[in-house]
Amino acid sequence: MESSDVHLISWNVAGLKPTLDQLRRFGFANFFRRHRVDILCLQEVKLNSKALATAGRQYEVDGYDSFWACNDGSGNQRQGLNGVCTFVRRGLTLSADNSPLGCPDLDGEGRCLLTDHGSFVLFNAYVPNAAGGPRLPFKLRWLRALKHAMWRERSKGKAVILAGDLNMKHRVLDTHWSCVSVRPEHFKIEESDALPDISKIAALWPDLVSAFKGKTISQIETRNSRNGQTFQKWGVWAKPLTDADAPVRLGPPIEHQGMAEFSFWMDGLHVEEDGQIVTRPTSTSYVLREKGEISIGELLEGMKKLAGVDISTAARDWLVQRSTPSSAEAVRLWLEDVLAGGMVDSFAEFYPKAQGRFTCWDQYRNRRHENEGSRIDYILVDETFFKRHASPGAGLDSRGLDADSPTAALAAATYDGLSQPSPFIGGGVPPLEEDEYIAQFRADKEGPSTGIIYTPQQLSDHVAVSLLLRKVALPSATLSRNAATQRCQPHLSSKRITDFFSRKDTPPLKRQAVAV
């Protein structure tokens, strides 16, 4: 086997068609060249096999093979959702499998694709969202199957890489401070003489809990000031702790009634195996939120609006140090178990103190421009393989600032202010201009890296993550044409545009009788 560097990129594109429409303005192949792509894992491509078989050639890139796992409607969700695709520089792949979990209803949602690259295998994964709780049991079953599939490949002597949108956070640093959770009932009034605000929270907490439990929700109408369009949403109100009669509104307008009911919720939330949300734990239920648990954002808003107390930054940081990530406990434990079992979170390993390095934001509320997001996109690597081959390369995009600082993270996410937020009067994300598009490229100047690639906001609500491997043994064999690999390439059955203009073969002339 030959050895070479490998630059792997993983990116949730939130729909390949609209993303590709934007990329084609500047050249899809140019995107691969400037990022020095060897392997590109895409999630949420939202294409089914029929669409690929009909017009899949449009997604080809010269010099690369592509492999697909699609949702064709055989799983639990309607066809066309989800979908993952892996582009690989030609000659680096031995085989592919879009049913690696070994279970029809798990593989049927088009969320996982396995490719074999000789010395290592790559799982491209789009882990199910818990959908607020009802799909948590399915998510956990899916994750257990993925873990089993990874161990199966290791038993064959392969190193394992898991890349994709894992829809989970396992460190407090992976979420904006407003979304991590605390349990103030455990605070002591005398906890910190240096932080009197913590004592205030502890003293007022019983009254805040009563106010939160007495909240009301009702429909509210929001309006787009630009075009006059109205939207029906839900608002949450609670009574202040003072003698004021009028309730005050807490939080932003909320899309769904159920989400409004469970905001500022104090009684704990659990989900049964059948997906039913319950407030009392049972022997078979999973924890969504512990009793008395609240996000720091909700806590600080309650203190300000209901108690009239502004919490200092120092007290907020004290709370963050005692918080837990917002993912469900069972999901966090799965990831912690995978890491304890010998895998490395490549980003956290190279940049353990980096703050504000998120990969996904709420586009509708311009959260990328305030850097209020989460890191839910990962590249996990078997530890021995990581230590032998992984390199930080050019490191994090820091725009000349301290790479670990939240200031550097915001500057990288917004291209030093070049990227502008959507106007509040409507109209959507500003058009992608050439200078903003070019701002994402560092590899063609500084070389590839392990970390985050800040792709433009117009392309997806996620940015890409990357891994640089040095001197990896690569296969010399040709791509297998076994049945499993062929199922991963439905686009090869579609015609190229040139096929429609090529000369048709003429039938052979009939043999003429010749007199002798």
Side-chain angles (χ1 to χ4, degrees):
M1 287 187 178
E2 297 182 356
S3 64
S4 178
D5 293 353
V6 174
H7 190 211
L8 188 159
I9 296 175
S10 178
W11 185 22
N12 180 324
V13 292
L16 184 55
K17 284 183 179 179
T19 299
L20 195 55
D21 287 344
Q22 294 273 16
L23 288 175
R24 282 200 177 113
R25 293 171 51 206
F26 307 95
F28 193 28
N30 181 58
F31 178 88
F32 280 70
R33 179 182 61 81
R34 297 199 65 176
H35 280 307
R36 298 192 185 181
V37 172
D38 293 301
I39 302 176
L40 175 64
C41 297
L42 301 179
Q43 299 87 43
E44 213 174 348
V45 295
K46 297 182 180 179
L47 292 167
N48 59 31
S49 297
K50 183 177 179 181
L52 290 169
T54 303
R57 295 285 187 176
Q58 65 180 302
Y59 303 109
E60 289 188 325
V61 179
D62 286 345
Y64 292 82
D65 294 311
S66 65
F67 308 94
W68 304 77
C70 301
N71 178 354
D72 293 325
S74 63
N76 298 312
Q77 295 183 313
R78 63 179 175 84
Q79 67 172 331
L81 294 177
N82 315 320
V84 296
C85 170
T86 303
F87 286 88
V88 187
R89 191 179 297 281
R90 194 154 292 145
L92 302 187
T93 309
L94 295 177
S95 62
D97 183 2
N98 58 17
S99 300
L101 304 184
C103 181
D105 69 322
L106 300 179
D107 288 311
E109 291 195 358
R111 293 181 176 274
C112 194
L113 177 66
L114 171 66
T115 47
D116 186 340
H117 306 286
S119 59
F120 70 95
V121 295
L122 170 63
F123 287 86
N124 178 0
Y126 177 40
V127 173
N129 190 301
R135 294 207 89 202
L136 178 59
F138 177 84
K139 178 174 185 172
L140 292 171
R141 191 160 65 90
W142 196 98
L143 288 170
R144 288 192 291 269
L146 173 61
K147 184 180 176 183
H148 175 78
M150 292 193 294
W151 277 111
R152 180 192 66 220
E153 295 303 315
R154 290 188 189 102
S155 71
K156 300 175 184 177
K158 302 282 188 177
V160 172
I161 298 176
L162 169 61
D165 177 353
L166 301 192
N167 263 316
M168 64 182 76
K169 290 87 68 176
H170 77 106
R171 305 182 310 160
V172 169
L173 281 172
D174 295 331
T175 310
H176 186 260
W177 63 261
S178 63
C179 296
V180 294
S181 299
V182 291
R183 299 181 70 182
E185 65 186 39
H186 293 161
F187 300 164
K188 302 293 188 292
I189 292 178
E190 65 278 5
E191 187 101 44
S192 173
D193 294 334
L195 294 172
D197 284 350
I198 302 302
S199 298
K200 292 177 184 177
I201 292 173
L204 291 169
W205 181 242
D207 294 329
L208 272 180
V209 170
S210 296
F212 290 148
K213 287 186 174 183
K215 74 178 188 293
T216 58
I217 66 169
S218 61
Q219 276 195 308
I220 57 175
E221 184 176 272
T222 62
R223 181 182 298 272
N224 184 317
S225 59
R226 182 177 184 179
N227 58 23
Q229 186 177 5
T230 60
F231 304 91
Q232 296 300 315
K233 297 190 177 183
W234 293 85
V236 177
W237 280 264
K239 278 196 157 190
L241 305 187
T242 61
D243 294 331
D245 292 329
V248 296
R249 203 180 89 193
L250 299 175
I254 298 173
E255 200 76 29
H256 304 291
Q257 181 179 0
M259 294 174 63
E261 289 175 346
F262 290 133
S263 63
F264 299 90
W265 183 266
M266 291 289 102
D267 289 330
L269 286 174
H270 307 261
V271 59
E272 295 285 6
E273 197 65 50
D274 62 1
Q276 181 182 358
I277 304 295
V278 295
T279 57
R280 293 179 181 273
T282 68
S283 60
T284 58
S285 63
Y286 300 102
V287 178
L288 290 176
R289 182 187 291 186
E290 295 281 3
K291 185 176 181 180
E293 182 180 320
I294 190 171
S295 72
I296 292 180
E298 288 182 335
L299 173 61
L300 267 57
E301 185 176 3
M303 287 294 292
K304 181 175 183 176
K305 290 185 176 180
L306 303 182
V309 176
D310 282 306
I311 300 301
S312 67
T313 301
R316 185 197 73 195
D317 292 343
W318 186 93
L319 292 169
V320 171
Q321 293 171 9
R322 290 153 179 79
S323 66
T324 56
S326 55
S327 291
E329 180 185 37
V331 174
R332 293 200 312 271
L333 290 175
W334 180 89
L335 184 50
E336 289 170 7
D337 186 57
V338 166
L339 295 174
M343 295 197 87
V344 171
D345 176 350
S346 58
F347 180 89
E349 188 72 12
F350 281 134
Y351 317 111
K353 297 180 180 179
Q355 300 178 63
R357 295 294 179 163
F358 306 132
T359 63
C360 181
W361 300 265
D362 183 345
Q363 293 269 68
Y364 292 102
R365 295 196 289 162
N366 283 324
R367 290 309 190 216
R368 179 166 173 171
H369 296 272
E370 299 173 22
N371 202 28
E372 296 181 10
S374 296
R375 184 174 76 96
I376 60 176
D377 301 271
Y378 295 78
I379 301 178
L380 308 183
V381 188
D382 277 354
E383 185 174 16
T384 300
F385 193 80
F386 181 88
K387 288 181 176 179
R388 185 179 300 142
H389 299 292
S391 167
L396 288 177
D397 184 348
S398 59
R399 307 281 156 166
L401 303 166
D402 175 5
D404 286 343
S405 70
T407 306
L410 176 61
T414 60
Y415 307 143
D416 268 331
L418 177 64
S419 177
Q420 292 297 304
S422 303
F424 287 109
I425 60 174
V429 178
L432 178 59
E433 303 294 344
E434 185 174 7
D435 55 353
E436 189 175 357
Y437 176 77
I438 291 173
Q440 69 179 295
F441 298 110
R442 295 174 62 227
D444 57 354
K445 297 177 181 177
E446 303 174 33
S449 63
T450 295
I452 297 174
I453 297 174
Y454 288 92
T455 42
Q457 62 179 340
Q458 293 86 349
L459 302 182
S460 173
D461 57 347
H462 291 244
V463 292
V465 294
S466 59
L467 172 69
L468 176 60
L469 299 170
R470 301 287 195 190
K471 297 180 180 179
V472 179
L474 299 174
S476 55
T478 57
L479 177 65
S480 170
R481 295 309 301 160
N482 62 25
T485 301
Q486 290 187 55
R487 283 194 296 270
C488 297
Q489 297 187 300
H491 62 291
L492 295 185
S493 63
S494 67
K495 291 182 178 293
R496 292 185 175 89
I497 188 68
T498 54
D499 294 340
F500 293 97
F501 300 100
S502 60
R503 190 180 69 174
K504 294 181 178 179
D505 293 333
T506 55
L509 295 173
K510 291 183 178 180
R511 184 182 300 274
Q512 300 293 318
V514 180
V516 294

